[in-house]
Amino acid sequence: MRAELLAVGDELLYGDIVNGNAAWLGGQLADVGVQVSTSIVVGDVIADIATAIVAALDRADAVVLTGGLGPTQDDLTREGIAQAAGVGLHRDAAEEATLRRRFEEMGRSRAGSGGRGVPEMNFRQADLPVGAQALPNVPGTAPGIRMEIGSGVVYAMPGVPFEMKDMFTRSVLPDILRRAGEPAVVVHRVLRTAGMWESMVAEALADEVTRLEPLGNPRIAFLASGGQTRVRITARAADRLAAQELIAPVEAAARVALGPGLYGVDDDSLEKVVLDLLGARGATLAVAESMTGGLLAGRLTDVPGASAVLRGGVVAYATEVKSSALGVDPAILETVGAVSPETAVAMAAGVRERLGATYGLATTGVAGPDEQEGKPVGTLHVGLAGPDGATTRTVRLPGDRRRVREFAVVQALDVLRRVLTGVAAAGDFGPWVPTGPR
Amino acid sequence: MRAELLAVGDELLYGDIVNGNAAWLGGQLADVGVQVSTSIVVGDVIADIATAIVAALDRADAVVLTGGLGPTQDDLTREGIAQAAGVGLHRDAAEEATLRRRFEEMGRSRAGSGGRGVPEMNFRQADLPVGAQALPNVPGTAPGIRMEIGSGVVYAMPGVPFEMKDMFTRSVLPDILRRAGEPAVVVHRVLRTAGMWESMVAEALADEVTRLEPLGNPRIAFLASGGQTRVRITARAADRLAAQELIAPVEAAARVALGPGLYGVDDDSLEKVVLDLLGARGATLAVAESMTGGLLAGRLTDVPGASAVLRGGVVAYATEVKSSALGVDPAILETVGAVSPETAVAMAAGVRERLGATYGLATTGVAGPDEQEGKPVGTLHVGLAGPDGATTRTVRLPGDRRRVREFAVVQALDVLRRVLTGVAAAGDFGPWVPTGPR
């Protein structure tokens, strides 16, 4: 089975937006073993859309198209498909009725009015090439299109990413797999790790990858970004349950191999996991930041409802603010310096006490571009103070200022996670130095 | 003049990376009036590269290609161009000598050794299709390729963005413009605004856009992202000086139209501009954050050397921390609430005093997803306290939690910038409420 990607839109051609849909679709198709040999972008021109479809179907079995399905004059994908197939357009009565109902639900038209007041142009979205089937757009309005041309097929989806992803997963991918004679359901499972580099994760799972390689299903992929590594397990099967049964033993083996590096699955985020761990214990948190300069608090407050657990934080950027606002002993700053495990612990203890939190979490280090106190760029000391004592972890992070600061946030959250879950002693990359009774 | 974009690489096809090069190149070509009708991605397959080049030259005058020029076996752009042109490859002696010298300079080979010790495979980068010209790669190693095929031309550049951008600006664009019979130099000037939505910027410059439209040179483009709007002026001319002379009157008119909304040019950042304004006055800053939860401090500390001006900050997420850590009068919190101009000013005054800074800057508001104290999502109060008094600004921001928080950071920085530059009274989108003597 060979597929080609086709995206329609002047805004893609002229760089106003990046073609992220193609990247996502390419990854999805690769995961299920569909070969993607070409990805094309054309502008809002009927002839260009039609020519690209005909050329693509000459090389491949399926064209997966995004964009150009909206209501305005420059949305011309419907016309392009019709021209490629040599047919006309007709207004689909069922789709038009669905649109009128949707506009009422969205409050764009008075309930029971049959969509009155919505500009007529919007109902262009119910036009279909003769012989095409509509694909349901659950989160949006414009339906997708499935059109057989010769022995090939064109699937057209909206360009809006969340509408496209829903339609692809719901309608397009199952149809592609059915045509390919492949089992029709694809299930992903994502395992999320923190405190492990991609190479460590790959090494931990090397045996499982080797075992699965000749089978081809399930597949394992490693995805690293923002200082975290994800493991994606993808299975194809006749139904959802069978796919989950294929994933289960791989996930079980991966969980053992990843050990305490695993913090969550699927859409979990490290900051949410940490806040939930604290919340479940009735505990609160305060943060003290030097190296991360507010990014750690910023990440935690990204989570709606963080205020139930996070009391607040202090960004102690100037050295003397570490003493005045956090109570760090000036003698520590003078003797071992602001970038030290001792300062990290004192910052954590200080913010814990001053903001009245169960735990205090602190970062100090060297983000670059220049070294500081003779300590190299990438040096990070995390300090953690709790009701029973305090501890630190020291690591050396790679990358430029932006990456070092981003990685430091993940490291700090991971230190707290490991202490809260009691796996701290497993420390994958540096010993723990208890600095008080626990 | 018509051009097509062609990107080579399995990693693009399968979504490991997004095709940002195409977006950038599309924008650059659009700026100079070159029509881009199609953008294609193919994998690391010689026949696919060659077929795509031949098909593109059938439709367009030039193919702008990226990727596949590296030293490994799966870098096959050289072979693809040669196949499309029906010629062979030869090792270019001058390019090979350049490579050997570069490897010595990079420390990958002993000085004076002629590149000894560098694996032979690296010298594939000196292979050129017969009849092609090499394009210099100033920041990297793999040279680019310029190859005439029939009446068309192929330009091949590395996929590494900073190498590609340098080569495009230095060699490819001037050659395209020369072939098109157009002046050979393109100069961009970016004007950066804050506190103005894209529609306000477009409206302010409407007359200038209308005046330039029929001329086609210079051109004005509006680019909105992260709560800021940029104005890009692009001019083509026979040389750099002439292009700058074309830009000057447009920039002057735009500066008048944008007024106090303009904060910088080209690569300036709002946070850097604000830190520099403070630094020039020998002033320091402390921030108090509720709605932005650390992101404001995080943005300021992105700037290397921020510590000379930024003393630090307090993230007062829990309401009682606003009293305990910032000294906000509990009566204010009880009567008008945490989301109020009064609280914003009290937070700013509190952090200014407690952290010993010249200015205190504070945010409080509703980031969502739910309203708070009966105030709607997007409400933002910025507080600013200085040596002579305090002031606030209240705005309503659009978007989801992530966008609202990002916009709030820009708004807060912009309030401080306008006060420091004395343009505060011009307030484009809301009156200033002085809450103390200034």
Side-chain angles (χ1 to χ4, degrees):
Chain A
M1 180 81 177
R2 289 165 64 100
E4 295 204 3
L5 304 179
L6 175 59
V8 176
D10 284 350
E11 71 281 11
L12 291 166
L13 221 40
Y14 293 119
D16 297 324
I17 57 173
V18 168
N19 193 1
N21 284 345
W24 187 85
L25 286 166
Q28 293 286 314
L29 291 166
D31 273 348
V32 297
V34 172
Q35 205 187 329
V36 179
S37 53
T38 308
S39 168
I40 303 180
V41 178
V42 297
D44 299 311
V45 179
I46 297 175
D48 289 359
I49 300 169
T51 305
I53 291 173
V54 170
L57 285 179
D58 207 41
R59 297 178 295 245
D61 309 299
V63 175
V64 179
L65 187 158
T66 50
L69 289 181
T72 63
Q73 295 99 325
D74 59 354
D75 288 307
L76 297 168
T77 290
R78 288 173 287 262
E79 287 77 0
I81 295 174
Q83 188 173 108
V87 299
L89 289 178
H90 72 109
R91 175 87 27 117
D92 187 283
E95 289 304 319
E96 183 174 347
T98 303
L99 278 177
R100 290 187 186 278
R101 199 177 59 244
R102 292 297 287 277
F103 288 130
E104 287 177 25
E105 287 166 8
M106 292 160 66
R108 291 179 55 184
S109 178
R110 193 166 44 77
S113 73
R116 249 216 329 257
V118 173
E120 188 53 31
M121 186 179 282
N122 284 280
F123 299 104
R124 290 188 61 223
Q125 296 176 108
D127 290 348
L128 288 179
V130 174
Q133 297 87 49
L135 303 175
N137 184 340
V138 175
T141 55
I145 296 172
R146 178 186 181 284
M147 177 84 193
E148 306 225 11
I149 301 178
S151 63
V153 62
V154 178
Y155 305 97
M157 299 181 287
V160 180
F162 72 90
E163 296 181 14
M164 181 278 289
K165 290 176 184 176
D166 180 88
M167 192 179 290
F168 181 81
T169 307
R170 188 183 299 274
S171 307
V172 176
L173 184 56
D175 199 66
I176 286 178
L177 295 173
R178 201 156 41 231
R179 289 178 71 92
E182 297 277 338
V185 169
V186 175
V187 174
H188 296 290
R189 179 71 161 171
V190 176
L191 304 181
R192 293 178 170 269
T193 73
M196 297 179 79
W197 302 116
E198 186 177 8
S199 58
M200 295 168 61
V201 173
E203 205 178 303
L205 293 179
D207 289 352
E208 197 62 14
V209 169
T210 307
R211 187 181 74 77
L212 293 175
E213 196 93 59
L215 306 175
N217 181 34
R219 288 171 189 238
I220 293 182
F222 302 109
L223 311 155
S225 67
Q228 302 184 25
T229 305
R230 285 164 291 154
V231 177
R232 188 176 61 209
I233 308 168
T234 304
R236 283 166 297 146
D239 58 49
R240 190 156 191 88
L241 196 68
Q244 285 165 339
E245 276 170 12
L246 281 172
I247 287 175
V250 179
E251 177 174 343
R255 282 179 176 270
V256 172
L258 296 171
L262 181 82
Y263 75 78
V265 298
D266 298 335
D267 291 332
D268 288 343
S269 74
L270 182 57
E271 47 275 24
K272 179 80 163 58
V273 164
V274 166
L275 289 170
D276 287 348
L277 284 169
L278 290 163
R281 285 160 176 73
T284 59
L285 176 65
V287 299
E289 306 183 60
S290 179
M291 183 195 205
T292 51
L295 298 181
L296 174 57
R299 185 79 75 94
L300 287 160
T301 56
D302 271 342
V303 181
S307 55
V309 167
L310 183 74
R311 293 187 56 78
V314 171
V315 178
Y317 219 58
T319 297
E320 66 197 83
V321 172
K322 294 183 178 69
S323 296
S324 64
L326 292 169
V328 177
D329 184 349
I332 292 180
L333 298 170
E334 270 160 42
T335 53
V336 292
V339 179
S340 64
E342 292 83 353
T343 297
V345 164
M347 289 170 67
V351 82
R352 172 180 183 271
E353 192 192 309
R354 299 211 174 187
L355 268 59
T358 321
Y359 290 94
L361 182 63
T363 62
T364 183
V366 185
D370 304 316
E371 61 167 38
Q372 193 185 328
E373 300 177 356
K375 285 136 193 168
V377 173
T379 302
L380 168 70
H381 303 288
V382 175
L384 177 64
D388 308 318
T391 189
T392 64
R393 181 190 267 176
T394 295
V395 288
R396 177 84 180 275
L397 303 168
D400 60 11
R401 184 175 176 90
R402 192 187 59 78
R403 296 223 312 164
V404 161
R405 280 157 48 94
E406 186 179 30
F407 288 3
V409 168
V410 172
Q411 289 292 334
L413 291 171
D414 194 47
V415 166
L416 177 53
R417 177 185 71 87
R418 287 175 187 245
V419 166
L420 290 171
T421 54
V423 297
D428 308 276
F429 49 108
W432 283 81
V433 185
T435 54
R438 284 203 65 83
Chain B
M1 179 83 175
R2 288 166 63 100
E4 294 204 3
L5 303 178
L6 174 59
V8 175
D10 284 350
E11 71 281 10
L12 291 166
L13 222 40
Y14 293 119
D16 297 325
I17 55 174
V18 168
N19 193 3
N21 284 345
W24 187 83
L25 286 167
Q28 293 285 315
L29 290 167
D31 273 347
V32 296
V34 172
Q35 204 187 335
V36 179
S37 53
T38 308
S39 167
I40 303 180
V41 178
V42 298
D44 299 310
V45 179
I46 296 174
D48 289 358
I49 300 168
T51 304
I53 291 172
V54 170
L57 285 181
D58 208 38
R59 296 178 295 246
D61 309 300
V63 175
V64 179
L65 187 158
T66 51
L69 289 181
T72 64
Q73 295 99 327
D74 58 357
D75 289 307
L76 298 169
T77 291
R78 288 173 287 262
E79 287 77 359
I81 295 174
Q83 189 173 106
V87 300
L89 289 177
H90 73 110
R91 176 82 33 111
D92 187 282
E95 289 304 319
E96 182 173 348
T98 303
L99 278 177
R100 290 187 187 279
R101 197 179 60 243
R102 293 296 287 275
F103 288 132
E104 288 177 22
E105 286 165 8
M106 292 160 65
R108 291 179 56 184
S109 178
R110 194 167 44 75
S113 73
R116 249 217 330 255
V118 173
E120 189 52 30
M121 184 178 285
N122 284 283
F123 299 103
R124 289 187 62 224
Q125 296 176 111
D127 290 348
L128 289 179
V130 173
Q133 296 87 47
L135 304 174
N137 184 339
V138 174
T141 56
I145 296 171
R146 178 186 180 285
M147 178 84 193
E148 306 225 11
I149 301 179
S151 62
V153 61
V154 179
Y155 305 97
M157 299 180 287
V160 180
F162 71 91
E163 296 181 16
M164 181 277 290
K165 291 176 184 178
D166 181 87
M167 191 179 290
F168 180 81
T169 307
R170 189 183 298 276
S171 306
V172 174
L173 184 56
D175 199 65
I176 285 178
L177 295 174
R178 199 155 41 230
R179 289 178 72 91
E182 297 278 340
V185 169
V186 174
V187 174
H188 296 291
R189 178 70 161 172
V190 177
L191 304 181
R192 293 176 171 269
T193 74
M196 296 179 79
W197 302 117
E198 187 177 7
S199 58
M200 295 168 59
V201 173
E203 205 179 302
L205 293 180
D207 289 350
E208 195 62 15
V209 168
T210 305
R211 187 181 72 79
L212 293 175
E213 195 93 61
L215 308 175
N217 181 33
R219 287 169 189 242
I220 293 183
F222 303 109
L223 312 155
S225 67
Q228 301 183 25
T229 304
R230 285 164 290 153
V231 177
R232 188 176 60 208
I233 308 167
T234 303
R236 285 166 295 146
D239 59 49
R240 191 157 192 85
L241 197 66
Q244 286 165 339
E245 277 170 11
L246 283 172
I247 286 175
V250 180
E251 177 175 343
R255 282 179 176 269
V256 171
L258 296 171
L262 181 83
Y263 75 79
V265 297
D266 297 336
D267 292 332
D268 288 342
S269 74
L270 181 58
E271 48 273 23
K272 179 81 163 57
V273 164
V274 166
L275 289 170
D276 287 349
L277 284 169
L278 289 163
R281 286 158 176 74
T284 58
L285 175 66
V287 298
E289 305 184 60
S290 179
M291 183 194 204
T292 51
L295 297 181
L296 174 57
R299 184 78 75 92
L300 288 161
T301 56
D302 271 344
V303 181
S307 56
V309 167
L310 183 74
R311 293 189 55 77
V314 170
V315 178
Y317 219 58
T319 296
E320 66 195 81
V321 172
K322 293 182 178 70
S323 295
S324 65
L326 292 170
V328 177
D329 184 349
I332 292 180
L333 298 170
E334 269 160 43
T335 53
V336 293
V339 179
S340 65
E342 292 83 352
T343 298
V345 164
M347 289 171 67
V351 82
R352 171 178 184 270
E353 190 192 310
R354 299 213 172 185
L355 266 59
T358 319
Y359 290 93
L361 182 63
T363 63
T364 183
V366 185
D370 303 316
E371 59 167 39
Q372 195 186 324
E373 300 177 355
K375 286 136 193 169
V377 173
T379 302
L380 167 69
H381 303 288
V382 175
L384 176 65
D388 308 318
T391 188
T392 64
R393 180 190 269 175
T394 296
V395 287
R396 177 85 180 275
L397 304 167
D400 60 9
R401 185 176 175 90
R402 191 187 59 76
R403 295 223 310 166
V404 161
R405 282 157 47 93
E406 186 179 28
F407 288 3
V409 168
V410 172
Q411 290 291 335
L413 291 171
D414 192 47
V415 166
L416 178 52
R417 175 185 72 86
R418 288 176 186 243
V419 167
L420 291 172
T421 53
V423 296
D428 308 277
F429 50 107
W432 282 82
V433 185
T435 54
R438 283 202 65 83

